[in-house]
Amino acid sequence: MTVSGAGAGAGAGAGSSSGSRVDLDSEQMGRDLVALVLTVVELLRQLMERQAIRRVEQGDLSDEQVEEIGTTLMLLDQRMKELCDQHGVRPEDLNLDLGPLGTLLPRD
């Protein structure tokens, strides 16, 4: 995909008389989008896991509910690993560096 126009590269090559062009690699964009979606899903999975652990520790779940939650979380973890493998994304790629705030996901 090619984007061109006066505003596409404002600041870079400002004195140039020709229009700015940005060539975007659609395949790379697709991989980046998959990595972003998987990052959001992993963040949600980890939040759900922490919430489940808190509820188990509080003792307000039946043994059956604890078993069901454990099985579900294991299956979610397994599926995330499969999706990462399928799309060529390493699990560590999902942990975005937020600069001074640290990383998005806690390090294990």
Side-chain angles (χ1 to χ4, degrees), residues 3 11 14 20 31 35 45 51 58 65 71 83 86 89 101 106:
V3 177
S20 298
R31 283 191 299 270
R45 187 195 69 75
Q51 181 64 26
Q58 289 174 350
Q65 288 173 316
T71 301
L83 287 169
Q86 181 180 356
V89 177
L101 297 175

Side-chain angles (χ1 to χ4, degrees), residues 47-95:
L47 290 172
M48 288 174 26
E49 184 175 316
R50 281 189 230 124
Q51 181 64 26
I53 290 170
R54 275 194 288 274
R55 290 191 64 197
V56 167
E57 289 173 349
Q58 289 174 350
D60 56 341
L61 298 174
S62 69
D63 289 343
E64 183 178 298
Q65 288 173 316
V66 170
E67 186 69 31
E68 187 176 336
I69 287 172
T71 301
T72 300
L73 290 173
M74 286 189 320
L75 291 172
L76 279 171
D77 185 55
Q78 180 182 350
R79 184 65 179 135
M80 277 300 296
K81 289 175 183 171
E82 290 170 1
L83 287 169
C84 285
D85 288 344
Q86 181 180 356
H87 294 285
V89 177
R90 299 175 309 177
E92 57 268 20
D93 294 339
L94 303 180
N95 199 3

Side-chain angles (χ1 to χ4, degrees), residues 34-44 93-94 96 104-105:
V34 166
L36 178 60
V37 169
L38 289 175
T39 297
V40 171
V41 171
E42 178 62 13
L43 176 62
L44 292 173
D93 294 339
L94 303 180
L96 302 177
L104 178 66
L105 305 171

Side-chain angles (χ1 to χ4, degrees), residues 19-30:
S20 298
R21 286 182 86 78
V22 177
D23 292 326
L24 302 174
D25 179 0
S26 62
E27 191 172 312
Q28 181 61 43
M29 284 178 31

